[in-house]
Amino acid sequence: MLGSGLLQGLAVTAKNFVGSFHDPARYTTVEYPEQPTKLPEAYRNFPFLVTENATDPMGTLRCVACQICEKECPPQCIYIEKSADKKPDATGKLQLYPKVFDIDTSVCMSCQICVEVCPFDAIKMDQVFAIATTDRFDGLLLKREQLAKSNDYYHSIHPTEAAEVDARLAAERKAAAEKAAAAAAAKAAAAAAQKPASPAVMPPDEPRRSSQSEGGRPPA
Amino acid sequence: MSSSPTLERLPLVVRDWLVGWLPESLRWLAGSLLAIVAVIVAFASLFALLTLVERKLLARVQNRPGPNRTGLPFLPFTKNRLFGLGQPLADGIKMLTKEDIVPRTADRVLHFLAPIALLAFAILTLAVIPYGRHLVPLELEAGVLYFFAAGAATELGVFMAGWASRNKYSLLAAMRALAQLISYELPLLLSIVPVVMLAGTLSPGGIVERQGGWSFGLLPQWHVFTPWGVTGFAIFFVTALAESNRSPFDLPEAESELIAGHLTEYSGFKYALFFMAEYFGMCALCGMGVTLFLGGWQAPLPFLAVVPSYVWFVAKLLTLLLAFMWVRATLPRMRIDQLMRLAWKFLVPLALVNLGVAAFWALTADWTGAVRATRWLIAAVLIAGPFVLLGRKLTTGLAPRTYRYAA
């Protein structure tokens, strides 16, 4: 009959109206600045530096200032200065660290190449987008203090990827410890045999390729 | 039982007290001016509120909160935004500060007069509506006639706007608007003829008085609770939507097809005046609908009569306005041919049939007892039959539409 469709339509809108007051499925709007939304895990832009310990960010940077990212960066927005001294890295080996590590985010194009070439899982993609400043020069040039973010933060934004990285690093640490133990045992045995220590060639490091580095730098 | 006379007459007491400060010879003038100011202020604030309520309601239907950021200006540094209650104020300031553009080739006088004429006629219609038992700004013996005469004059304003803009879109839209408004004027008038017939008066106050009392001490004797009344009210509702350019009949300013119709060349406060006139017209038509069919200021139940009559009028008016918004939130815009067909092939014949039913109702007013039920049955059949038949005829051979050239 004429009009039945109208009544059905009116019922639909009435249901939506009433539902918007009690049913979250009928009130899907998020009031953005007050209620930040969780970004999807795959969302990524602008790199940051991973630190092991949030209480001492500058002392526990994973970065060893190898400068690969600096060289690979297509728009050349990374600037690194090596340190003079060395500090133990994630596997306990003594390594250099970056005295200066700057990223000019006004130049950075979020291409993720720095992340793909990093052999130390030290630089990862962030999830920041509200980066507007009133100063387009210094405000957008991020220092290493601003870039350093903890591994826990990395876990909070990219959980799957971070778990993968942690597992790999743990395996490497274990392998390094076993190797050290084996080397110590061999040394002890050699000392016991009173033989001159043979110049044992160090086996090459397990290639530390990041999972996204297909087609990147060939393993050493 | 009725509400206390003091409360009922309160607005009049306030007026008399204010006017009492003036010399005797000026009192009638001051009293009239006060009534005019009261009506305009009341409806202007209602307009402001309605714009916000409408946006909120539409938003809620579309699963979003609507405007909720603007607080009131006298609470500037608080977090309390009061549901965006400051939005109409902000809109008004925005409209006032916008540039007022008049096309170089436009007829400047007509272009300036069109919004004023439209608003003036819309305000004129507000004068005869009985807002309460003692609250009628202008008591006319032929108030209903006056109301629809003044209401029909708004069409003049629409065409003035379209013509004076010297813009082909404006002119086309104005002609379309004129076609729509005049076509719907006929069923609108035919739908209220039964009310005048049965009430035997053209005075809005008189019509409301006739709807007083309760059958069985419970059911209000409003016109909408009769077979001819409910049909008349349905036709009135649909034609009122069309007359006030509301969705689904908002073709005159179909912004997706005609830019903004006759409003294309208007900006700033003139545009706001058009908007205001539209809302005033809508309020006036809703007020007339309440008066003619929904019992005006009469209380719905006997024990509720303690509440002053003007409260009931406002409550019914707001309900009807919300229904208008609900329809807007639901229905898409019609095509011009569908619009015309609905008016001439459905609403006008149905209104004429309704006239016959009203005549039957008037002639059988003395039927009592069991025959009374028969009276209801006959009237219902007389309405429902033509409704179904006309409804079938309306779309026969026209729907579903086939698209020959679309893949």
Side-chain angles (χ1 to χ4, degrees), chain B residues 207-259:
Chain B
I207 290 171
V208 176
E209 293 283 356
R210 298 292 157 90
Q211 298 178 69
W214 291 269
S215 7
F216 315 117
L218 191 69
L219 288 170
Q221 292 178 345
W222 303 348
H223 288 149
V224 76
F225 297 121
T226 56
W228 60 269
V230 69
T231 320
F233 181 65
I235 299 172
F236 181 89
F237 189 82
V238 173
T239 47
L241 282 172
E243 284 291 316
S244 50
N245 299 343
R246 300 279 303 178
S247 174
F249 305 107
D250 53 351
L251 287 116
E253 51 160 308
E255 63 272 18
S256 50
E257 303 151 33
L258 290 167
I259 314 174

Side-chain angles (χ1 to χ4, degrees), chain A residues 1-3 6 9-11 13-14 16-17 20-21 25-29 31-34, chain B residues 56-57 60-65 68-69 81 326-327 329-331 342 346 387-388 391 394:
Chain A
M1 199 175 70
L2 184 77
L6 296 187
L10 287 170
T13 45
N16 246 3
F17 177 75
S20 74
F21 289 100
R26 289 188 193 273
Y27 187 74
T28 48
T29 309
E31 295 193 43
Y32 161 63
E34 291 89 8
Chain B
K56 295 283 257 189
L57 190 139
R60 283 281 169 182
V61 169
Q62 297 159 4
N63 305 345
R64 56 194 175 85
N68 62 355
R69 302 273 149 171
R81 286 167 174 156
W326 184 14
V327 169
T330 308
L331 301 179
L342 181 68
F346 184 74
F387 177 82
V388 172
L394 192 63

Side-chain angles (χ1 to χ4, degrees), chain A residues 3-219:
Chain A
S4 55
L6 296 187
L7 295 180
Q8 279 170 20
L10 287 170
V12 168
T13 45
K15 232 183 270 172
N16 246 3
F17 177 75
V18 176
S20 74
F21 289 100
H22 64 82
D23 182 3
R26 289 188 193 273
Y27 187 74
T28 48
T29 309
V30 176
E31 295 193 43
Y32 161 63
E34 291 89 8
Q35 305 174 359
T37 46
K38 181 108 178 84
L39 289 165
E41 201 186 327
Y43 179 87
R44 55 193 71 197
N45 66 354
F46 294 128
F48 72 98
L49 295 176
V50 185
T51 66
E52 294 293 348
N53 188 347
T55 54
D56 178 22
M58 286 310 103
T60 56
L61 281 176
R62 278 188 196 163
C63 178
V64 300
C66 67
Q67 294 183 309
I68 295 172
C69 53
E70 187 183 14
K71 292 186 183 94
E72 292 286 340
C73 179
Q76 308 213 329
C77 66
I78 303 178
Y79 174 74
I80 300 173
E81 269 180 34
K82 289 185 182 185
S83 63
D85 55 331
K86 288 191 174 187
K87 278 187 199 169
D89 76 342
T91 56
K93 214 156 87 177
L94 280 178
Q95 296 275 22
L96 295 171
Y97 62 93
K99 196 169 71 185
V100 175
F101 195 116
D102 294 347
I103 293 180
D104 191 346
T105 47
S106 67
V107 175
C108 176
M109 61 186 200
S110 295
C111 64
Q112 202 181 316
I113 286 176
C114 50
V115 175
E116 287 171 14
V117 298
C118 182
F120 298 95
D121 288 308
I123 190 163
K124 291 291 172 193
M125 294 306 277
D126 206 345
Q127 284 195 337
V128 291
F129 53 89
I131 53 155
T133 65
T134 50
D135 174 11
R136 68 195 169 105
F137 301 107
D138 285 345
L140 291 173
L141 182 70
L142 300 186
K143 308 279 177 205
R144 82 184 172 148
E145 285 78 14
Q146 291 154 284
L147 289 168
K149 288 178 182 175
S150 69
N151 197 24
D152 293 338
Y153 172 77
Y154 182 39
H155 272 279
S156 71
I157 59 172
H158 299 307
T160 324
E161 210 180 279
E164 211 176 284
V165 169
D166 273 10
R168 193 164 62 236
L169 286 181
E172 276 168 22
R173 255 173 230 151
K174 206 173 143 203
E178 275 169 11
K179 207 167 72 183
K187 208 172 169 185
Q194 291 291 340
K195 272 168 74 181
S198 62
V201 179
M202 287 281 277
D205 270 355
E206 177 100 357
R208 285 164 161 183
R209 293 174 53 198
S210 120
S211 61
Q212 305 123 353
S213 71
E214 264 78 37
R217 195 175 59 99

